[in-house]
Amino acid sequence: MPLIRIIPLQFSSVSTMETMLSVLSNRFKMETRLSGQHLDLTPFFNPVRSQYNANEIIQKLLPLAGEDDKIVGVTDLDLFIPVLSYIFGQAYLGGSVALVSGHRLENRRYGLASDPQIFSDRIIKCIVHELGHTFGLKHCLKPGCVMVSTTYVEEMDQKSDMFCQTCQNELSMLTA
Ligand SMILES: [Zn+2]
Ligand SMILES: [Zn+2]
């Protein structure tokens, strides 16, 4: 049976983990587990940008995914890809690896009081979104759908962690 496995990579918000596991197994109808695998992210630090290279990390995570498994790296570290100043997450369409960062999802980053619930909601939306890509879903324009592309946390807060009916139907076809 294919699994979704979450790999914490320097991720401190362990309290979000339980909700994360249950939302993911529910959205994708797949068993979702916490993985004990580890990857040292130090080699992916870019000193000029003070950020970590998401594409390089994904390349290293690839061999950790089993044949049909999906793996999700979650980290507190700030991620980038060369063409963008930062990213919330990254995945390849139809791939087996998603990578998500909580770095830009913290209210504190925006001068607001820390709110674990908001943080948890945001990171779960990010993970569902990136995993959606690994199952072959593209960006959606339907307001509220988790597959809507987001650049800012404000946009993130306006969508749900659920697929719209169209994306849901497509996902069911892709995972059948
Ligand atoms: Zn996307
Ligand atoms: Zn949609």
Side-chain angles (χ1 to χ4, degrees):
M1 276 293 276
L3 295 173
I4 295 173
R5 287 184 286 123
I6 310 272
I7 307 183
L9 302 165
Q10 298 194 38
F11 183 68
S12 56
S13 305
V14 281
S15 61
T16 61
M17 212 47 91
E18 210 163 309
T19 321
M20 212 181 265
L21 294 173
S22 87
V23 172
L24 294 179
S25 62
N26 193 283
R27 292 293 170 276
F28 296 97
K29 311 281 179 268
M30 269 171 80
E31 189 179 336
T32 307
R33 285 189 203 156
L34 195 58
S35 169
Q37 287 167 306
H38 184 68
L39 177 69
D40 176 19
L41 299 188
T42 320
F44 312 108
F45 183 68
N46 180 315
V48 176
R49 302 184 55 139
S50 285
Q51 291 175 304
Y52 292 77
N53 188 316
N55 287 336
E56 290 179 2
I57 297 170
I58 287 181
Q59 289 307 316
K60 291 290 181 202
L61 287 173
L62 274 174
L64 302 184
E67 194 127 309
D68 298 316
D69 290 356
K70 302 288 185 189
I71 62 175
V72 186
V74 286
T75 183
D76 294 330
L77 301 175
D78 197 14
L79 300 176
F80 78 97
I81 56 172
V83 294
L84 293 174
S85 55
Y86 68 86
I87 54 167
F88 295 132
Q90 173 85 331
Y92 299 122
L93 204 63
S96 52
V97 176
L99 178 64
V100 167
S101 164
H103 191 82
R104 310 257 170 178
L105 304 175
E106 273 281 0
N107 258 357
R108 267 174 313 187
R109 260 203 79 78
Y110 306 96
L112 300 168
S114 178
D115 187 327
Q117 184 63 53
I118 290 180
F119 176 79
S120 168
D121 290 349
R122 285 173 181 165
I123 197 146
I124 287 169
K125 289 173 196 177
C126 274
I127 296 175
V128 174
H129 179 101
E130 297 304 338
L131 269 176
H133 284 318
T134 70
F135 284 98
L137 291 180
K138 302 195 177 99
H139 284 151
C140 177
L141 295 174
K142 183 124 186 158
C145 176
V146 73
M147 291 313 294
V148 170
S149 170
T150 46
T151 309
Y152 304 104
V153 282
E154 292 82 357
E155 298 168 322
M156 185 91 68
D157 293 340
Q158 278 167 21
K159 67 180 187 181
S160 72
D161 63 19
M162 309 205 17
F163 299 105
C164 72
Q165 196 58 56
T166 310
C167 289
Q168 185 62 64
N169 293 345
E170 204 179 328
L171 181 68
S172 306
M173 264 166 33
L174 290 163
T175 54

